[in-house]
Amino acid sequence: MFDVWPTVGDALGIGRTATYSLAKDDALPIPTIRVGRQLRARRSDLLNFLGIHEENGDGAGVAAPTPLAERTTATT
């Protein structure tokens, strides 16, 4: 399980306030789960949404998702 913020928000390229607002409105592209006072998302849901497929199903050896800002490259 990942924390909705910062992990999920960063991976989706959205800020803290927007992440929590979307989660509150059930509008994030992946389902969230409330654990006490924390919002969490399943690792497999986030990785599947990002197009990162786990080979052995347990997540071992799969790199953490890179925030959208780091994945884009500037052209010169």
Side-chain angles (χ1 to χ4, degrees):
M1 304 273 296
F2 286 124
D3 290 329
V4 167
W5 180 258
T7 307
V8 173
D10 281 348
L12 299 177
I14 56 179
R16 178 179 173 262
T17 303
T19 300
Y20 282 118
S21 179
L22 290 170
K24 177 184 172 193
D25 296 339
D26 199 27
L28 279 174
I30 59 174
T32 58
I33 302 162
R34 182 164 293 281
V35 179
R37 293 183 58 170
Q38 299 177 347
L39 279 173
R40 303 278 177 117
R42 289 186 352 192
R43 176 185 183 94
S44 60
D45 290 337
L46 179 60
L47 294 177
N48 285 334
F49 178 78
L50 295 173
I52 302 170
H53 301 286
E54 301 175 63
E55 291 181 19
N56 58 6
D58 67 0
V62 176
T66 304
L68 180 61
E70 291 180 19
R71 285 187 274 148
T72 59
T73 56
T75 57
T76 54

